Amino acid sequence: MKLELPQIITQIDDDLHLCDEKSWQKDLREVITKPEQLLALLDIAPDEYLQHFKARSLFPVRVPMPFIKRMKKGDFDDPLLKQVMPLTNEFKQTEGYTLDPLQEHDTVAEGLLHKYNNRVLMIVKAGCAVNCRYCFRRHFPYEDNSPNKKRWQSALHYIAENSSISEVIFSGGDPLMASDEHLKWLVEQLEQIPHVTRLRIHTRLPVVIPNRVTKSLVTLLKNTRLKPVMVLHINHPNEIDSELISALEPLRAARIPLFNQSVLLKSVNDNAQTLIKLSETLFDAGIQPYYLHLFDAVQGAAHFDVSEQEAVEIANSMLANLPGFLMPKLVREIAGQANKTPINLA
Ligand SMILES: *Cc1c(COP(=O)(O)O)cnc(C)c1O
Ligand code: SF4
């Protein structure tokens, strides 16, 4: 009996399919960048949609295959397709919609935002594996923020000099676009700053390329003295499939807390039923719902906007039908505020 236990543990370890970096980099190279390819993969005849293709010029198309596999074939209204398909609507100039709704073009050091007390946000890597049409960073001047080790010095210096900073948030773009080696270097630098105790990673990459959860990434997060937290970005229950669930398993096994933030998006997830299902599916996948963001008024994406009044109605209906611990906080980010602003549901 006693001898069997270690054997079982080894077996569980082997069951966690951990890839090396080659797998996700291959998925990244194979990302779809043409709307006609995207529609062809979904068996959708392009004819009536051709006029939309030119919106690519506003923000490039980028969709990884594992994400496309979760879309329904033949359905132009698929909620996952809607998040990545360019539309002529994006050319519409809407009053009050700006290029930088969150005033994030103001950095305190290269690639470093310090808007909220105790925590800073690091633009670890420009660009994402997927380009979401509603992205509030779609106009971010990434070329001025593409970091390298030398350019990180001023950001690291700023963090070291500000002892109130206890949490560093890796963001982007998508921070997991960086190689594990690059991330390891950055984590090692942060570990040397005694007042930094927590490391948070805001990422959508494992959702669209599950192979991104590599053995070396899990090892890095398991072994750092910083307390790691991962915040994923999932908007619709159809984004969660068995491939994603098993990719996240090693992170759960390493007891790395997993949270999720969603954006409330017109005709993608703007109804209580979908969002209730999302919370429940997240929970089943070991992910805790965290934020439900009201859409940020970024130019070119006004067609995704859901009014605050509608949002409050949806959130109240969720509240009535979910256990409290599965209710995400409905928030809006207001430029200049010291935290995300909770929306009053009363
Ligand atoms: C959202 C955000 C944070 C983190 O805020 P939490 O409420 O702790 O999730 C930190 N810095 C910036 C710039 C942010 O946008
Ligand atoms: S993954 Fe996030 S940062 Fe990247 S395009 Fe989508 S919403 Fe924007």
Side-chain angles (χ1 to χ4, degrees), residues 32 35-44 63 65 68 73-74:
I32 299 300
E36 53 272 34
Q37 280 177 309
L38 180 58
L39 295 187
L41 284 163
L42 295 169
D43 298 337
I44 297 173
V63 199
M65 280 304 296
I68 297 172
K73 291 224 166 152

Side-chain angles (χ1 to χ4, degrees), residues 50-321:
L50 294 174
Q51 83 271 14
H52 295 302
F53 291 8
K54 58 182 186 294
R56 287 169 74 182
S57 64
L58 297 172
F59 189 45
V61 169
R62 278 178 80 75
V63 199
M65 280 304 296
F67 195 66
I68 297 172
K69 279 191 215 141
R70 299 172 210 155
M71 297 175 186
K72 199 152 96 241
K73 291 224 166 152
D75 182 6
F76 191 75
D77 291 326
D78 179 88
L80 276 54
L81 179 59
K82 280 230 155 94
Q83 298 181 50
V84 294
M85 178 69 201
L87 294 180
T88 46
N89 281 342
E90 294 175 35
F91 285 100
K92 208 168 106 194
Q93 295 284 319
T94 315
E95 212 181 319
Y97 284 64
T98 65
L99 296 181
D100 178 21
L102 305 181
Q103 295 174 15
E104 282 200 341
H105 296 194
D106 300 329
T107 49
V108 288
E110 221 163 318
L112 194 71
L113 293 165
H114 190 186
K115 295 204 300 194
Y116 300 164
N117 286 336
N118 316 327
R119 51 217 194 276
V120 284
L121 190 145
M122 267 182 143
I123 313 282
V124 170
K125 195 75 181 172
C128 296
V130 63
N131 277 352
C132 313
R133 309 311 296 178
Y134 50 82
C135 181
F136 69 87
R137 295 198 177 115
R138 58 184 275 160
H139 306 286
F140 202 83
Y142 279 126
E143 56 283 7
D144 306 336
N145 278 282
S146 57
N148 59 39
K149 289 182 186 178
K150 199 160 159 241
R151 294 177 82 177
W152 277 123
Q153 293 309 330
S154 70
L156 291 166
H157 183 74
Y158 180 91
I159 297 169
E161 291 292 297
N162 284 270
S163 57
S164 67
I165 298 168
S166 56
E167 177 170 328
V168 174
I169 303 171
F170 284 1
S171 183
D174 198 307
L176 293 187
M177 287 291 274
S179 67
D180 289 340
E181 194 196 340
H182 183 159
L183 292 170
K184 184 165 184 271
W185 179 86
L186 207 48
V187 169
E188 282 166 359
Q189 303 304 306
L190 293 170
E191 281 170 343
Q192 289 167 32
I193 305 174
H195 51 263
V196 176
T197 56
R198 241 183 345 258
L199 170 68
R200 192 185 333 175
I201 300 179
H202 276 194
T203 180
R204 186 148 164 77
L205 230 158
V207 180
V208 295
I209 301 183
N211 284 341
R212 180 62 190 91
V213 184
T214 56
K215 197 174 180 125
S216 44
L217 179 68
V218 176
T219 305
L220 172 65
L221 297 179
K222 227 179 191 166
N223 294 337
T224 174
R225 85 158 170 85
L226 306 172
K227 182 78 195 142
V229 177
M230 190 176 279
V231 181
L232 297 161
H233 173 185
I234 301 172
N235 298 317
H236 193 282
N238 294 3
E239 291 173 49
I240 303 169
D241 65 355
S242 55
E243 203 191 342
L244 174 63
I245 294 171
S246 47
L248 297 175
E249 190 53 42
L251 294 170
R252 296 219 304 274
R255 278 178 280 177
I256 293 157
L258 300 175
F259 293 96
N260 182 63
Q261 49 181 345
S262 312
V263 187
L264 188 57
L265 299 166
K266 175 121 280 146
S267 74
V268 171
N269 62 5
D270 60 333
N271 65 82
Q273 203 190 349
T274 301
L275 291 169
I276 289 166
K277 186 159 179 223
L278 174 61
S279 272
E280 285 173 342
T281 314
L282 286 167
F283 181 70
D284 292 346
I287 310 165
Q288 176 66 42
Y290 179 34
Y291 278 143
L292 177 59
H293 290 268
L294 285 187
F295 173 80
D296 299 307
V298 63
Q299 193 61 257
H303 53 288
F304 283 113
D305 200 9
V306 177
S307 74
E308 184 166 320
Q309 193 194 330
E310 278 173 274
V312 167
E313 278 169 27
I314 293 168
N316 272 312
S317 171
M318 291 169 73
L319 204 53
N321 291 290

